Amino acid sequence: MKKLLFLAVCFVLSLPICASNPELKALMRRAQPFDRGAPLQTSVDAIITTKKGKETLMKYTMYTLRQDGKIQVMIAFSAPNSFDGTRILTVVPEEGGVPGVTIKFKSFFATMRIPFVNSDMSFFGMDFTSGDMNPRNSSFDTYTLLEETTLADGSPCYVVEALPVEDGQYHRMVHYVDLAKEMIVKSEMYDSKGRKVKVMEVLECAPVQEIWSVQRIRMTDLKSGSNTLLTYSNLIYHGDYSSYVNTSFLKTGNPTG
């Protein structure tokens, strides 16, 4: 009897750790590094570095707004010169659905509506794709808690496997969630053949208005050998950014209309 009990305990311990699925989904929704649950304004420097070491610098300001069950994001580029004046308005339904994207290119007078956005498209030449940059609804994935561990700074960490409910840009993802900050601090992306294709790492974060926030985050493309480093500055939460997140600002770049 004792032997059978011992074998049963060993079998249970060998299984993946199963947290309550609703609780794990809720945690993963809160842990998104690009969406910390509050409207924000921030300046972003993006440095794209090729395998050979060539660097390209891009600069933009980002504003977000949450209303009517949607997350709205305005990105206004200021560098390089060829992008200065280009603006993008993205509307992401909080409960799922296809994001809506409207773009005003520098060299075009009119705006352009994109009816369908391929999530695996590079975001303006970065190693981050459009899908990487948009807030991800936790209902798009199923989660399994693989391991409880600690990070280098001693913070408790969940290692979570995410499998897309439908076909997506990645076949499988493994996220490292800092439980003290409730933030994904590292993600590994795999293709359908089980090959690790990308790694995203939060290199620096800090509390801003009592919200743990990304300050530097890097995406590395293991196939091409390139990487993109995003550095956030002048971050402010809880403002009214409605004058920036609208079609009028998209067309004119003027918050007063």
Side-chain angles (χ1 to χ4, degrees):
M1 184 66 181
K2 290 183 179 179
K3 183 177 181 180
L4 289 175
L5 180 60
F6 173 77
L7 291 174
V9 171
C10 289
F11 175 73
V12 170
L13 292 177
S14 69
L15 294 175
I17 302 169
C18 296
S20 168
N21 193 47
E23 291 179 3
L24 194 54
K25 277 184 175 290
L27 171 64
M28 297 307 292
R29 181 65 190 88
R30 296 193 303 272
Q32 299 296 314
F34 287 111
D35 178 21
R36 302 304 292 155
L40 64 83
Q41 171 184 341
T42 185
S43 300
V44 183
D45 286 3
I47 299 177
I48 306 168
T49 305
T50 67
K51 185 178 181 180
K52 294 183 178 181
K54 180 182 177 180
E55 292 186 352
T56 301
L57 172 64
M58 304 173 71
K59 290 176 174 285
Y60 59 87
T61 302
M62 180 170 65
Y63 309 88
T64 69
L65 190 66
R66 307 174 81 95
Q67 62 181 13
D68 302 327
K70 299 174 182 177
I71 304 171
Q72 301 176 57
V73 183
M74 176 68 74
I75 290 179
F77 283 94
S78 57
N81 184 61
S82 58
F83 282 3
D84 184 17
T86 294
R87 292 177 288 277
I88 308 168
L89 175 61
T90 303
V91 179
V92 184
E94 288 193 271
E95 297 304 320
V98 179
V101 179
T102 310
I103 297 179
K104 165 65 172 66
F105 288 107
K106 175 183 180 179
S107 55
F108 286 69
F109 176 75
T111 61
M112 180 184 301
R113 171 76 175 178
I114 301 178
F116 175 76
V117 180
N118 193 341
S119 62
D120 61 3
M121 288 178 58
S122 170
F123 186 77
F124 283 80
M126 299 183 192
D127 296 285
F128 291 91
T129 66
S130 297
D132 296 326
M133 300 286 282
N134 286 333
R136 186 166 181 83
N137 191 294
S138 60
S139 65
F140 292 171
D141 303 306
T142 59
Y143 299 103
T144 301
L145 180 57
L146 300 179
E147 182 183 0
E148 295 184 50
T149 184
T150 55
L151 298 169
D153 64 358
S155 297
C157 172
Y158 273 1
V159 182
V160 179
E161 178 186 60
L163 300 178
V165 175
E166 299 178 357
D167 290 340
Q169 60 175 327
Y170 307 117
H171 183 72
R172 172 177 176 260
M173 293 174 284
V174 176
H175 301 297
Y176 295 78
V177 184
D178 185 324
L179 296 181
K181 301 176 178 67
E182 290 198 334
M183 179 190 292
I184 296 171
V185 293
K186 181 179 178 181
S187 295
E188 299 169 343
M189 293 75 161
Y190 296 82
D191 65 14
S192 59
K193 296 182 179 180
R195 297 173 298 196
K196 188 189 298 184
V197 292
K198 284 186 176 182
V199 177
M200 185 175 72
E201 301 167 281
V202 174
L203 303 180
E204 186 177 347
C205 62
V208 176
Q209 295 170 241
E210 301 183 350
I211 300 173
W212 277 99
S213 308
V214 170
Q215 294 188 315
R216 292 195 304 141
I217 186 169
R218 179 175 62 204
M219 179 72 86
T220 302
D221 188 319
L222 301 179
K223 184 177 181 180
S224 68
S226 63
N227 71 82
T228 299
L229 175 67
L230 304 182
T231 301
Y232 294 76
S233 59
N234 304 316
L235 175 60
I236 304 173
Y237 287 109
H238 300 300
D240 179 6
Y241 306 116
S242 56
S243 59
Y244 296 93
V245 188
N246 56 63
T247 54
S248 176
F249 180 82
L250 179 72
K251 294 175 182 178
T252 67
N254 185 350
T256 60

